[in-house]
């Protein structure tokens, strides 16, 4: 598991971020070992004295929990245990010994992105049908659908289909090993291994992605041009394809329009099936909005829904973002949404004759989607680590991509004060200077905000 692979990095990050002295680190943090991981709970072996256990729990449980979430992208509960307690517990199985059902669970999948929640229209019917066929036939993938290359503009549902395929396979073919990965994660894993000069890490990456039955890699365009990452993916593709394993790739353009794409990649992407997803028509936009109302247990007046569907035509993300904005405004102000209120609140994003304006609200919506959160969570008072980091990234991008003042950024992010906004921006700025993984993350989100 990723938390085990990155354990030493996690401990050193605690030392650096919380400015621990060498003696403190050596005494309390360095000796900590993972004993067992059960789902989303980690049992950590502490030094054998009860007083040490009590002190570590009080002083370092929260810092460790925060750093684990930052490094792995997943949030875990933590319990420190003594060696004598460990003897009474069954130790964790090694990765190689895990049973199929546990080993193949993918915690990066959005539970709301399934075939059942995907709204089918004329713009995406073919892509939906082929994706369902691929999911059904994953045990023996047909060559005409392998690889499956899904392409379309930002916010049209590519990621939704990718997650739907993965969920369907997990539910109907539980013995199959699947791996879904955004390209930025794949890139960062390769970068970390190269930077550390670790052959063991490279081998672990190869084992992770080449010993699977189905590999789904999202936003492949972000890999193009990164030589070592590109090479690693090329070799992984060949291994899986030659072994008859299913590969699913998504991109914002078809291979022929990716001008910097090498011919060897272009030819391989075209070996199987390419399916594009276009902009939704009016009927599909209405259906998408109604489905979102149903999922969020809210109901707007028909006039409001028709107004949004008529004026927002480019993509699903903006449609849902408009509803998110109205829901957030209603809940925060306790004001009923009328058509006049809707027009006022959506004025900055509903302008069919102009390019979309990059606003703090748009940035919050896209950052929230990237981290599989809601805009309401980002503007909430929550201090949970999986909310704080996306919130700070939103602060940084608002400062660098809009003309909003610090006070204005604080206002749209839940009324936060000037010093909180400065701290968040400075933290991400510092990371960008020292961590290539953070640079890649920011670049990926920037392109989602402004694809041009």
């Amino acid at each position: 598991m990723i938390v085990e692979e990155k354990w030493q990095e996690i401990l050193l990050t605690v030392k650096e971020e919380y400015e621990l002295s060498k003696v403190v680190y050596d005494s309390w943090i360095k000796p900590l070992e993972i004993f067992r991981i059960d789902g989303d709970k980690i049992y950590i072996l502490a030094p054998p004295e009860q007083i040490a256990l009590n002190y570590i729990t009080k002083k370092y449980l929260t810092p460790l929990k925060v750093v684990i979430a930052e490094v792995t992208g997943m949030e875990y509960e933590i319990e420190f245990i003594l060696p004598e307690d460990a003897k009474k517990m069954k130790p964790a199985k090694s990765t190689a010994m895990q049973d199929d059902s546990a080993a193949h669970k993918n915690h990066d999948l959005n539970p709301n992105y399934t075939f059942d929640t995907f709204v089918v229209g004329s713009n995406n019917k073919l892509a939906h049908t082929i994706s369902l066929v691929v999911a059904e036939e994953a045990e023996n993938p047909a060559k005409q659908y392998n690889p499956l290359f899904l392409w379309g503009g930002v916010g049209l549902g590519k990621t939704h289909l990718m997650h739907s395929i993965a969920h369907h396979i997990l539910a109907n073919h539980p013995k199959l090993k699947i791996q879904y990965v955004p390209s930025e994660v794949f890139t960062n894993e390769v970068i970390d291994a190269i930077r550390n000069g670790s052959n063991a890490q490279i081998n672990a990456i190869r084992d992770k992605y080449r010993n699977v039955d189905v590999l789904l890699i999202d936003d492949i365009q972000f890999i193009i041009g990164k030589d070592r990452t590109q090479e690693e993916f090329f070799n992984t593709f060949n291994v899986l394809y030659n072994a008859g394993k299913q590969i699913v790739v998504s991109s914002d353009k078809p291979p022929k329009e990716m001008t910097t794409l090498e011919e060897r990649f272009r030819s391989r992407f075209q070996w199987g099936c390419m399916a594009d997803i276009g902009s939704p028509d009016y009927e599909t936009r209405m259906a998408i909005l109604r489905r979102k109302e149903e999922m969020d247990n809210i109901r707007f007046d028909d006039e409001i829904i028709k107004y949004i569907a008529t004026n927002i035509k480019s993509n699903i993300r903006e449609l849902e973002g408009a509803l998110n904005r109205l829901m957030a405004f209603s809940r925060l102000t306790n004001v009923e949404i009328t058509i006049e209120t809707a027009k006022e609140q959506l004025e900055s994003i509903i302008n069919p004759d102009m390019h979309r304006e990059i606003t703090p609200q748009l940035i919050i919506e896209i950052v929230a989607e990237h981290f599989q959160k809601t805009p309401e969570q980002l503007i909430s008072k929550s201090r949970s680590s999986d909310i704080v980091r996306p919130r700070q990234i939103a602060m940084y991008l608002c400062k660098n991509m809009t003309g909003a003042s610090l006070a204005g950024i604080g206002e749209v992010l839940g009324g936060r004060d000037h010093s909180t906004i400065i701290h968040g921006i400075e933290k991400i700025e510092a990371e960008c200077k020292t961590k290539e993984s953070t640079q890649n993350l920011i670049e990926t989100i920037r392109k989602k905000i402004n694809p041009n």
Side-chain angles (χ1 to χ4, degrees), residues 34-139:
I34 294 176
F35 175 71
R36 175 176 176 170
I37 301 177
D38 280 343
D40 60 357
K41 186 168 185 178
I42 304 174
Y43 293 91
I44 299 175
L45 277 174
E49 302 82 13
Q50 181 67 46
I51 188 171
L53 176 70
N54 295 342
Y55 181 79
I56 290 171
T57 301
K58 179 181 178 181
K59 190 85 173 174
Y60 297 112
L61 187 147
T62 298
L64 195 58
K65 186 176 178 181
V66 168
V67 171
I68 288 173
E70 286 183 353
V71 172
T72 68
M74 294 177 281
E75 191 168 358
Y76 291 90
E77 293 300 318
I78 292 174
E79 183 176 332
F80 295 107
I81 60 172
L82 296 170
E84 61 195 62
D85 299 321
K87 293 176 183 177
K88 304 170 188 175
M89 299 173 67
K90 187 177 180 181
K93 297 175 183 179
S94 68
T95 304
M97 295 296 289
Q98 288 177 345
D99 61 80
D100 285 343
S101 62
H104 305 154
K105 283 183 180 177
N106 191 306
H107 299 288
D108 291 330
L109 296 176
N110 187 326
N112 295 322
Y113 284 179
T114 65
F115 284 121
D116 288 338
T117 61
F118 188 85
V119 177
V120 181
S122 58
N123 63 305
N124 58 27
K125 187 173 183 180
L126 179 61
H128 172 269
T129 300
I130 294 171
S131 295
L132 187 55
V133 169
V134 165
E136 290 279 5
E137 304 297 326
E139 282 187 302

Side-chain angles (χ1 to χ4, degrees), residues 221-345:
Q221 70 271 15
F222 295 135
I223 285 179
I224 306 307
K226 297 180 173 70
D227 292 344
R228 186 65 186 271
T229 306
Q230 199 171 259
E231 193 65 30
E232 197 61 45
F233 173 73
F234 179 79
N235 292 329
T236 296
F237 182 103
N238 285 342
V239 168
L240 292 174
Y241 186 85
N242 291 334
K245 307 300 183 182
Q246 179 69 56
I247 302 163
V248 183
V249 175
S250 80
S251 174
D252 61 349
K253 297 182 182 72
K256 66 181 180 181
E257 292 183 15
M258 300 168 77
T259 55
T260 58
L261 185 65
E262 294 179 24
E263 183 56 37
R264 56 179 180 158
F265 283 99
R266 185 174 287 108
S267 64
R268 279 161 176 77
F269 289 156
Q270 294 173 339
W271 280 350
C273 178
M274 289 188 292
D276 70 302
I277 305 176
S279 297
D281 58 24
Y282 175 77
E283 290 75 15
T284 306
R285 297 197 297 273
M286 286 291 292
I288 289 167
L289 291 168
R290 290 303 186 198
R291 175 64 62 85
K292 181 163 178 60
E293 281 187 312
E294 182 183 323
M295 292 178 67
D296 290 333
N297 196 27
I298 194 168
R299 187 76 180 181
F300 288 107
D301 185 81
D302 284 351
E303 191 178 4
I304 294 172
I305 297 299
K306 290 176 181 177
Y307 175 73
I308 297 172
T310 300
N311 289 281
I312 299 181
K313 304 175 182 179
S314 55
N315 65 53
I316 296 165
R317 178 181 296 149
E318 289 188 354
L319 281 171
E320 295 183 340
L323 275 193
N324 284 336
R325 177 177 294 195
L326 296 183
M327 286 189 289
F329 179 79
S330 177
R331 289 167 182 168
L332 288 171
T333 62
N334 215 19
V335 170
E336 181 183 356
I337 302 296
T338 63
I339 184 62
E340 290 75 20
T341 308
K343 287 180 178 180
E344 181 181 332
Q345 289 300 310

Side-chain angles (χ1 to χ4, degrees), residues 2-3 6 9-10 65-76 107-109 184-185 370-373 385-387 389-390 441:
I2 190 168
V3 69
K6 293 182 174 287
E9 178 187 343
I10 288 166
K65 186 176 178 181
V66 168
V67 171
I68 288 173
E70 286 183 353
V71 172
T72 68
M74 294 177 281
E75 191 168 358
Y76 291 90
H107 299 288
D108 291 330
L109 296 176
E184 70 179 80
V185 172
H370 182 88
F371 287 97
Q372 297 183 21
K373 307 298 176 189
S385 60
D386 64 331
I387 301 296
R389 180 165 170 77
L441 172 63

Side-chain angles (χ1 to χ4, degrees), residues 166-209:
H167 280 304
H168 190 90
I169 294 171
L170 285 171
N172 295 281
H173 306 285
K175 291 185 179 180
L176 294 185
K177 297 179 182 179
I178 74 164
Q179 184 68 54
Y180 165 83
V181 61
S183 64
E184 70 179 80
V185 172
F186 184 82
T187 299
N188 289 339
E189 289 180 356
V190 174
I191 288 170
D192 286 343
I194 295 169
R195 183 181 61 211
N196 297 332
S198 171
N199 288 329
Q201 232 177 317
I202 285 289
N203 289 334
I205 293 170
R206 291 171 180 168
D207 182 68
K208 177 179 179 180
Y209 293 111

